[in-house]
Amino acid sequence: MSFDDAARTQMVRLGAALYDRGLTPGRTGNLSVRMDDQIMITPTNACLGRLEPERLAVMSVDGEHLAGDRPSKELVLHRAFYRHHPTCTAVAHLHSTSAVAVSCLPGLRCDDALPPITPYFVMRVGRLPLIDYGAPGSAELEELVSRAAKHSRSVLMRNHGSFAAAKSLESAVDAVEEIEETARLYLLLAGRSPVYLGEEAVAELHRRYPSTA
């Protein structure tokens, strides 16, 4: 079993789209897809705007390097989402500007960092736990992400960025894009006494779209 050209091409295409739109600068962010007992992930120190299909890292779910370049050091964080959400086959991680900015603010709710500004945030992201800072690739950060991933498919990491797991790579990318857009709206609305979606509206969205609840 191996990842076919279509899966590799999709990862390269989506990585380039995120980079070209300024959603993850320089050599930041990473994408992965899982198929059975293997994970394909963007390489360490890779720029999402310049990925090469044949150089994508292929790993076993236990961490054995099977093919391609060395994997992103944040593979352990991707594996945490796959471990807790076996129906998810893709994970996306961005260092997008607004999401990182919001992650640095005081007074955020740890159980849900962003308010329900739009129905699309509720539908595509659901709840967004905020986790404390941990050094990238560290055992401490892995534990923090794993703990949050037990209860949510998405997280916001202090001074770092966002993660989202989904049933397809396109859906995972949609989710981190929605986190970034909601973070941008949150910053734009600061100090303006905005009206967010009410509890009843959020509950109705969860009833209609239970996969993101």
Side-chain angles (χ1 to χ4, degrees):
M1 181 198 69
S2 63
F3 294 90
D4 60 18
D5 289 345
R8 292 172 180 273
T9 298
Q10 182 191 49
M11 184 172 288
V12 170
R13 175 178 60 81
L14 290 174
L18 290 168
Y19 179 81
D20 290 345
R21 291 159 58 203
L23 292 176
T24 198
R27 298 177 184 272
T28 66
N30 30 78
L31 306 172
S32 74
V33 293
R34 182 186 64 184
M35 184 169 61
D36 296 331
D37 61 350
Q38 292 185 10
I39 297 170
M40 182 169 67
I41 188 169
T42 50
T44 187
N45 203 34
C47 171
L48 292 191
R50 296 189 292 274
L51 297 174
E52 299 175 45
E54 67 278 4
R55 298 185 65 178
L56 297 171
V58 179
M59 311 293 296
S60 73
V61 291
D62 297 322
E64 180 186 358
H65 189 190
L66 302 176
D69 288 359
R70 287 191 301 121
S72 166
K73 61 181 170 292
E74 291 176 324
L75 170 64
V76 291
L77 307 184
H78 291 246
R79 289 171 60 198
F81 281 98
Y82 291 132
R83 186 165 60 250
H84 294 302
H85 300 282
T87 63
C88 289
T89 63
V91 174
H93 166 47
L94 297 184
H95 296 194
S96 53
T97 303
S98 297
V100 174
V102 167
S103 79
C104 300
L105 295 175
L108 299 176
R109 286 178 51 181
C110 291
D111 63 329
D112 204 358
L114 286 169
I117 297 176
T118 71
Y120 305 100
F121 179 78
V122 177
M123 292 157 55
R124 294 173 181 161
V125 179
R127 199 165 55 86
L128 184 67
L130 175 71
I131 64 174
D132 291 335
Y133 174 78
S138 67
E140 176 190 12
L141 183 58
E142 179 184 4
E143 173 59 26
L144 290 169
V145 170
S146 182
R147 197 181 307 157
K150 291 179 181 178
H151 309 291
S152 177
R153 293 183 180 182
S154 304
V155 300
L156 182 64
M157 300 178 290
R158 284 261 188 215
N159 306 87
H160 189 154
S162 61
F163 260 97
K167 293 182 179 180
S168 71
L169 187 55
E170 287 192 341
S171 294
V173 166
D174 286 345
V176 286
E177 288 183 353
E178 198 64 46
I179 291 170
E180 172 63 10
E181 181 62 15
T182 302
R184 189 171 75 90
L185 291 170
Y186 182 78
L187 294 171
L188 287 170
L189 292 167
R192 295 174 178 266
S193 302
V195 177
Y196 300 134
L197 295 179
E199 292 183 5
E200 185 175 337
V202 170
E204 174 62 19
L205 288 166
H206 285 322
R207 283 194 293 270
R208 287 175 176 268
Y209 307 98
S211 63
T212 59

